[in-house]
Amino acid sequence: MLEVSESKVTKYAVHYVGDALVMGEEAMSQPDVLLEAAFTQLAFGKLDMEQQYEFFHETDIGLNEVYTYVKSIFDQPDSFLEQSKHIATHLHSTSQHPNIKPGELFIGCFDNCYWHSEVKKVLAIVKIDEKEMFLDIKNVQNKMTVSGIDGINVKKSNNMAVIVDMGQDEPPAVFIKTKRKEDVVYWQERFLKIKAADEHYHKTNLALTECKKIILKEESFSNTEKLGLLNKTLDYFRNEEEFQVNDYIESVFEKADAVQKDIIVNTVKPYETVISESAIAKVEKTYKRKIKLDDNIEIQVNVRDIEEVEELIEVGYDEATNRKFYKIYFQEEV
């Protein structure tokens, strides 16, 4: 786990990446307290620390551009500005698509970051492609002034990467966040060129996520059936050492037809893997055990067994009012 509560910004630069490149010509240092807090929020506030990545290249890791520039910054701090320009140039070359917005590129070095109690240097790369209007209100000698400022909301999601210097003998640890799912291809695959460091975690995460999507999209399943299937899916991953799609189908989808089984196999077979417990813990939080009714009513169900769900919740239709209903059985209110 990366701890940055006591981190310090040592150097930072800002460039503009759009149709044309505008390079910042200065490596700035020692920002004031408020600016440093803003940079820390910008770099780490929305970061996903659950999934760790690493740089790769098909033939030679030294041919991975961002890896090479980042290693140079860690090994030769005086080269920071030059290497930050190389990073901006590389991002520009991988951003030539009309759907990729222009924006500012913040690159900052942070010291005094803790990785499992060890002090590490960290480099943050953040692409900011949206600005907002803020009101700047000041009280000067009991006179209030109000002006509008076009600025950056540091709490909003951006495309970002945080690279931890693990030393000469270990590859840097990489963590990322993309603003939109559509940005994954250009940010993760083309710009950074990274892969999951723990393939079991990555595949378990994807398998659980895709299984959930399949269950929720299947119109032939009732809401109570979907709840039961989601719970049985989690139980399968908790109790098995490996994810095998055919075993999963037999354990969870007893009533699935041939078409449904083919959809499951074709979707999640690439994610067969040794099951990662930490991935289960993360994805389980997204498995909401709720039945949503219209706009204002939600029923939360914490029962895992599908047969028990069907015994406790009855679905019906009232012809007199032309509406559906749920009848819920219980022993006592808590």
Side-chain angles (χ1 to χ4, degrees):
M1 185 66 182
L2 186 64
E3 174 57 52
V4 296
S5 61
E6 299 180 12
S7 65
K8 297 293 181 182
V9 180
T10 57
K11 292 182 181 179
Y12 66 96
V14 179
H15 309 293
Y16 182 82
V17 180
D19 292 336
L21 270 171
V22 180
M23 297 294 194
E25 294 301 328
E26 183 181 357
M28 294 162 280
S29 61
Q30 296 181 329
D32 61 40
V33 174
L34 289 178
L35 191 55
E36 184 166 62
F39 286 157
T40 302
Q41 179 73 43
L42 180 68
F44 305 109
K46 295 287 184 178
L47 196 64
D48 180 7
M49 297 299 299
E50 298 288 342
Q51 176 67 72
Q52 182 177 331
Y53 295 87
E54 61 187 14
F55 294 108
F56 82 99
H57 191 275
E58 292 82 358
T59 57
D60 183 354
I61 189 63
L63 298 176
N64 181 306
E65 289 90 342
V66 178
Y67 168 83
T68 301
Y69 306 145
V70 169
K71 285 291 288 180
S72 294
I73 290 173
F74 287 147
D75 296 340
Q76 304 170 39
D78 290 342
S79 71
F80 170 77
L81 182 60
E82 177 188 359
Q83 302 303 333
S84 75
K85 290 181 179 181
H86 291 331
I87 292 171
T89 301
H90 176 57
L91 178 60
H92 179 260
S93 70
T94 59
S95 304
Q96 301 305 303
H97 191 282
N99 290 339
I100 300 176
K101 296 181 180 180
E104 287 74 20
L105 181 67
F106 168 83
I107 302 176
C109 286
F110 293 79
D111 273 354
N112 211 37
C113 300
Y114 286 85
W115 174 264
H116 299 293
S117 301
E118 293 185 10
V119 178
K120 300 292 185 183
K121 291 186 293 185
V122 169
L123 186 79
I125 304 172
V126 185
K127 167 75 181 305
I128 307 149
D129 55 24
E130 282 190 14
K131 290 186 177 181
E132 297 182 8
M133 179 62 72
F134 296 91
L135 292 178
D136 184 27
I137 303 175
K138 293 180 179 178
N139 181 353
V140 181
Q141 295 181 346
N142 294 325
K143 183 179 180 180
M144 303 301 295
T145 62
V146 181
S147 59
I149 298 175
D150 190 25
I152 294 166
N153 186 344
V154 296
K155 293 184 178 181
K156 277 203 166 183
S157 291
N158 296 286
N159 290 327
M160 53 201 297
V162 165
I163 301 111
V164 183
D165 182 11
M166 305 300 286
Q168 291 292 331
D169 299 328
E170 289 188 52
V174 184
F175 301 91
I176 66 167
K177 175 73 175 180
T178 52
K179 185 174 182 179
R180 305 173 302 171
K181 290 183 179 179
E182 307 92 274
D183 293 337
V184 169
V185 171
Y186 104 88
W187 186 256
Q188 177 178 331
E189 299 177 11
R190 293 170 56 193
F191 169 55
L192 295 169
K193 201 159 189 177
I194 54 177
K195 64 179 181 179
D198 183 346
E199 199 66 25
H200 299 317
Y201 178 99
H202 185 59
K203 287 188 173 182
T204 303
N205 188 353
L206 290 173
L208 277 162
T209 301
E210 292 303 318
C211 288
K212 181 185 73 171
K213 289 180 182 177
I214 292 169
I215 292 168
L216 295 179
K217 286 182 179 179
E218 181 52 62
E219 295 181 356
S220 66
F221 298 147
S222 68
N223 282 331
T224 52
E225 287 177 323
K226 289 177 181 179
L227 281 176
L229 292 170
L230 289 174
N231 288 325
K232 290 183 76 172
T233 295
L234 288 173
D235 283 344
Y236 171 87
F237 277 84
R238 290 191 194 98
N239 296 328
E240 299 295 328
E241 293 185 0
E242 294 188 21
F243 170 61
Q244 298 289 338
V245 65
N246 290 323
D247 292 340
Y248 167 70
I249 292 172
E250 290 180 9
S251 300
V252 177
F253 294 88
E254 299 171 0
K255 300 178 182 178
D257 59 33
V259 174
Q260 291 168 337
K261 290 180 179 179
D262 285 344
I263 292 173
I264 298 168
V265 170
N266 293 334
T267 304
V268 299
K269 188 170 181 60
Y271 309 135
E272 291 184 329
T273 184
V274 174
I275 293 173
S276 164
E277 293 184 6
S278 56
I280 298 173
K282 177 189 177 185
V283 180
E284 184 176 7
K285 299 174 185 176
T286 70
Y287 269 56
K288 296 180 179 179
R289 301 181 178 91
K290 293 181 179 179
I291 300 173
K292 298 189 71 173
L293 309 178
D294 299 328
D295 295 327
N296 302 319
I297 301 174
E298 289 185 351
I299 303 173
Q300 181 161 329
V301 183
N302 292 324
V303 179
R304 289 185 178 178
D305 188 82
I306 187 170
E307 287 77 15
E308 191 176 350
V309 171
E310 292 174 341
E311 290 176 4
L312 296 175
I313 302 177
E314 179 183 329
V315 185
Y317 179 77
D318 186 345
E319 294 184 357
T321 61
N322 194 31
R323 292 185 298 180
K324 300 174 183 178
F325 66 82
Y326 277 94
K327 184 184 290 185
I328 302 173
Y329 297 93
F330 64 96
Q331 296 292 339
E332 58 181 326
E333 288 190 41
V334 179

